[in-house]
Amino acid sequence: MKEFVAEVVSIGRLRHRNLVQLLGYCRRKGELLLVYDYMPNGSLDKYLYDQPAATLNWSLRFKVIRGVASGLFYLHEEWEQVVVHRDVKASNVLLDGELNARLGDFGLARLYDHGTDPQTTHIVGTLGYLAPEHTRSGRATTHTDVFAFGAFLLEVACGKCQ
């Protein structure tokens, strides 16, 4: 519980236009829940797969890809610690009122200091987005996030689930 609260406090301090803002957490029926900003257009996968009311043209798709890339760069390079998301995929990208992409769902994220090695040893994430070296070593790094981002790029470009 102590580690969970420490990570919630850290992730709650992340501020970037392409990240969903973590507002806090609550405990409900013994389960810990994270509370994020409301995104009126829901998740990106709805626009890629679920017969959406609006279709994403190439301009919007590029805007989404650029937004997620910007958010990942902030997490990996610009924030005070390195944040490895560990689950980059269309269902974890939310769209605000103007269809700007915001990376969300930091439930699997891990933080570590710049210049140090991550201490993750469990393989977590979604099949199809997991880097081969992650499945062999169990270590999640910024490189494994970049691999997942590549799978995400194919998903957005092709409209096919990984």
Side-chain angles (χ1 to χ4, degrees):
M1 180 63 171
K2 194 175 186 178
E3 284 182 17
F4 174 80
V5 171
E7 286 203 17
V8 167
V9 168
S10 292
I11 291 172
R13 293 190 343 249
L14 293 171
R15 299 282 187 270
H16 190 273
R17 70 184 172 279
N18 296 109
L19 300 178
V20 176
Q21 182 65 49
L22 177 65
L23 302 175
Y25 72 96
C26 67
R27 184 179 254 178
R28 183 175 180 212
K29 296 180 182 177
E31 192 175 5
L32 294 169
L33 303 171
L34 298 176
V35 180
Y36 292 99
D37 270 343
Y38 174 69
M39 294 288 115
N41 285 308
S43 64
L44 176 62
D45 63 339
K46 176 177 78 172
Y47 286 84
L48 295 175
Y49 311 122
D50 292 346
Q51 307 301 316
T55 306
L56 295 177
N57 60 33
W58 286 109
S59 177
L60 281 172
R61 288 173 195 247
F62 184 69
K63 179 180 171 183
V64 165
I65 290 167
R66 191 177 46 219
V68 174
S70 179
L72 273 179
F73 182 75
Y74 173 79
L75 293 174
H76 294 170
E77 302 289 333
E78 295 179 330
W79 197 55
E80 62 192 52
Q81 287 185 294
V82 177
V83 180
V84 179
H85 187 276
R86 303 200 309 174
D87 206 17
V88 178
K89 59 184 180 181
S91 62
N92 288 338
V93 173
L94 302 176
L95 302 171
D96 67 13
E98 288 86 41
L99 295 174
N100 295 306
R102 295 184 184 220
L103 186 59
D105 193 354
F106 288 87
L108 298 178
R110 289 293 170 259
L111 292 82
Y112 61 94
D113 292 326
H114 290 277
T116 63
D117 287 330
Q119 299 300 313
T120 59
T121 56
H122 291 85
I123 299 171
V124 296
T126 303
L127 287 176
Y129 301 87
L130 296 174
E133 66 271 17
H134 184 200
T135 58
R136 283 194 306 273
S137 70
R139 292 184 54 187
T141 66
T142 56
H143 298 275
T144 57
D145 268 0
V146 171
F147 183 93
F149 179 73
F152 166 77
L153 284 172
L154 291 172
E155 186 177 12
V156 173
C158 300
K160 300 281 185 195
C161 191
Q162 297 304 314

